[in-house]
Structure formats: C-alpha cells, structure tokens
Amino acid sequence: MGREFEEFHEELRSVAGDLLAKDRTIEWSALAEAGWTGLEVPDDLGGAGATFGEVAVICEEMGRAASANHFLGGAVLTVGLLKSLRPSDSRDEVLTAVAAASLRPAVAVGSFTLDGGTLSGHADFVPDAEGADRLLVIAADSDGSPVVVEVANLTVTPQPVLDETRRLATVSADAAEVAQVLRFGGDPQEQVRRLLDRAAVAVACDSLGLSEAMLAATVAYAKVRNQFGRPIGSFQAVKHACADMQVAIAVSRQLVSAAVEAIAEDRPDAGVAAAMAKSYACSAAVDVAGKAMQLHGGIGYTWESGIHVYLKRAALNRSLFGSPAAHRRQLAQRYL
C-alpha cells in the first residue's frame, strides 16, 4: 500500500502481534473486540471502513502466530462477498452483525446449482463452516449466472486435515429449500473471480507471516545451540541455509505486497498478481518451515519445538484456494 499508510500498518501489526502472542486460539468475540471482524465493514454499519490492505496485515500476523480462529471464513471471505452484492437491507444486516460479532457467517464456493426454489450440490474444504451461524452459498442459477443463496438446512460435515489450526468442512445440499437469493453488483462471474483472488492472497499473507516466524526462530536457535565448541550459526552450511530462507521470504514479500495492493485497489490485473503471490509464497513457506525443522536438529522433530504446527499450516496453505501448479497454469494462459 502507499507510504502514507506504512506507519498505521506498523502500529496495527504491533498491536496484532502482541494480542496473538498471548493466545494462539482467539474467539470470534475477541476478534470483534479488537476491531478485526469489521475492518472492511463501512463505518455507517459499525465497521472501521478500512481496506484489504489492513486485513492483509492481520492475516500475516495470524500466520506468524499460527493462530486458530474463524477470521478467514467469518470475516475475510464473508465481508468481501457481501460488499460485492447489490445493496440491500439483508446485506447490510449481515455486515452490521459481522462487525459486532453477533453473527459468524461462512462462505461456501463449490458446485451448487439453483433450480427454482431448491439448492443442490456440494463444496469441499470450506473454511469455518462448522458451527457457523449462517452460510452464504455461491450457486449457479437457471442461466448459469452466479448468485448468493441462504439455505437453512444445509449439511455441514467436518473435514479433518493435517493442520489442526484450521477448521474446514464439506457443505452439501440435496434439493434444499432456499430462504433468500442475493444478486451480485456488476458482472457476477467477475465478482466470484475477485473473491477467489482475495482468498488466495489472504492465504499467501498467512504463509508469509509463518515463513518469517520460522526464520526468526531458526536464527535465534542457531545463535545459542553449540556444537564443537561454538554456535551452529557460525557454520557456513547453516549460514547458507538461513540466507536461502531470507531470499525466499524477500521475494514472497514483494509478490504479496503487490497482490495486496492490486486487490485493495480492485485493479484489472489483480488476478495475475494474486496467482503469482499465492503460487510462490505458499510454496516457499513449506520449504522455509522444512529447513527450519532441519536446522533445529533432533529437537525440531519433537512436539515441544512447535515447528510441526507451522509446517502443517504451510502445507495446507499451499493447497488451499489453488495449488501452486494450478495458479501457474493460470498464469501460463496469458502466453497461449
């Protein structure tokens, strides 16, 4: 984002880091008390009226702390989706409730179809759907155009994954009765694409934060762990490995910053920037966490070190909302 926001972002980063350092598991109400659930909600609806740039700062700090919470599904995706809809009392009601934490919604994007007044289909790996107060489902109507529907009797099945800091679920419907249909503002296909780009960049921010946490932990350990009478950080092989980690993080930072800016400004090239950031930053995070575990030696493979938490989270981030291979195929389409 612009330099005029750098000081504000640093302050936000510091406050978020301090809060998340106290407890990795943050309740939905605590997220609202911090003002994070309503960051992008307009101020006349009880929010802060901020941009995706501020949301990205929080996502990064959550990755740094490997925080377990409902921010991704309940705020990042939900608010982004609601703001892309046509203005209505129903939309504003949900936005107000999200900012106040009186409602925790989730967004399901999958293969749903709307036939008359019923919904059928399913979606896998839906963030924070389990226990959500309301589910917003993106479905194709009779002419194939995406719409957002609310259904009271959806089937939500928890979907266990390797990363225990995330809660994912399968959402399915079999001729379920639709309670409400909401329409997108502008081109529906474009709005759905922008939502998925937004999700991909949010996950890339998370991966960037966890990569930096792993490098910091590794450098600190290398300074105090002695071998052959001196710190292992003095060995050339360890120096080179840490330098490689730093280079990967520096490249990730540039790509993620460019993608966040493109999403916040709703630029036409946001999809390209998002694909570049997601494919590189999430892949690099797995490598960085793996090197961190290796450089910690035997203790790195123990539960006490905590590195396994970051490695599992990095592995899930790599696949969530598009694998690196999928995003690179998308980038390659520009040259065909």
Side-chain angles (χ1 to χ4, degrees):
M1 302 299 291
R3 291 185 177 275
E4 65 271 19
F5 295 107
E6 287 183 0
E7 184 176 349
F8 171 65
H9 285 178
E10 286 305 314
E11 182 178 352
L12 181 62
R13 191 184 310 278
S14 176
V15 172
D18 291 343
L19 178 60
L20 293 168
K22 296 176 182 177
D23 192 353
R24 282 183 173 178
T25 304
I26 304 293
E27 298 297 329
W28 181 246
S29 58
L31 294 177
E33 289 176 7
W36 297 346
T37 62
L39 271 175
E40 289 186 278
V41 176
D43 50 11
D44 61 332
L45 297 177
T51 71
F52 185 74
E54 288 68 53
V55 171
V57 172
I58 302 300
C59 289
E60 185 180 329
E61 292 308 305
M62 287 182 173
R64 194 186 309 277
S67 176
N69 55 68
H70 301 296
F71 187 68
L72 178 60
V76 178
L77 296 181
T78 299
V79 175
L81 175 64
L82 290 170
K83 290 181 68 177
S84 69
L85 300 177
R86 297 175 185 173
S88 67
D89 292 339
S90 298
R91 186 201 72 162
D92 293 348
E93 176 189 353
V94 179
L95 282 171
T96 302
V98 169
S102 59
L103 180 73
R104 181 174 72 80
V107 176
V109 185
S111 56
F112 292 96
T113 57
L114 181 62
D115 184 11
T118 61
L119 179 74
S120 298
H122 77 283
D124 294 320
F125 303 106
V126 180
D128 306 313
E130 183 184 1
D133 302 312
R134 187 175 299 182
L135 277 169
L136 303 174
V137 179
I138 298 179
D141 63 10
S142 57
D143 64 358
S145 181
V147 294
V148 177
V149 300
E150 291 187 40
V151 182
N153 55 343
L154 287 169
T155 301
V156 179
T157 306
Q159 201 164 11
V161 291
L162 188 65
D163 175 21
E164 296 181 353
T165 66
R166 299 253 194 224
R167 293 293 178 266
L168 304 178
T170 297
V171 177
S172 58
D174 184 10
E177 185 176 350
V178 173
Q180 183 176 204
V181 178
L182 301 171
R183 302 283 176 177
F184 286 99
D187 181 7
Q189 297 285 357
E190 180 67 14
Q191 295 292 0
V192 173
R193 185 191 64 78
R194 290 177 180 176
L195 179 68
L196 295 176
D197 289 341
R198 173 192 182 87
V201 175
V203 174
C205 291
D206 189 281
S207 288
L208 174 59
L210 74 85
S211 293
E212 292 187 334
M214 285 293 89
L215 175 59
T218 302
V219 171
Y221 180 77
K223 289 179 179 179
V224 299
R225 175 69 170 92
N226 289 326
Q227 189 73 344
F228 304 111
R230 57 177 176 156
I232 63 171
S234 64
F235 299 138
Q236 190 175 44
V238 175
K239 291 179 181 179
H240 284 182
C242 290
D244 289 341
M245 294 164 73
Q246 177 59 47
V247 169
I249 290 171
V251 176
S252 296
R253 169 70 63 185
Q254 291 295 321
L255 292 173
V256 169
S257 296
V260 169
E261 186 173 344
I263 295 292
E265 296 178 358
D266 200 19
R267 295 209 305 254
D269 65 340
V272 173
M276 293 173 69
K278 178 65 169 65
S279 61
Y280 186 88
C282 291
S283 180
V286 176
D287 294 337
V288 169
K291 285 183 179 178
M293 180 171 285
Q294 181 183 22
L295 292 176
H296 273 74
I299 196 173
Y301 292 84
T302 65
W303 290 96
E304 288 77 8
S305 72
I307 296 177
H308 66 284
V309 175
Y310 287 87
L311 182 58
K312 292 174 182 178
R313 188 176 179 112
L316 177 62
N317 282 356
R318 182 173 58 182
S319 300
L320 201 58
F321 295 108
S323 66
H327 283 287
R328 286 169 183 148
R329 281 196 298 270
Q330 177 185 333
L331 292 170
Q333 294 300 314
R334 298 179 299 164
Y335 305 105
L336 297 179

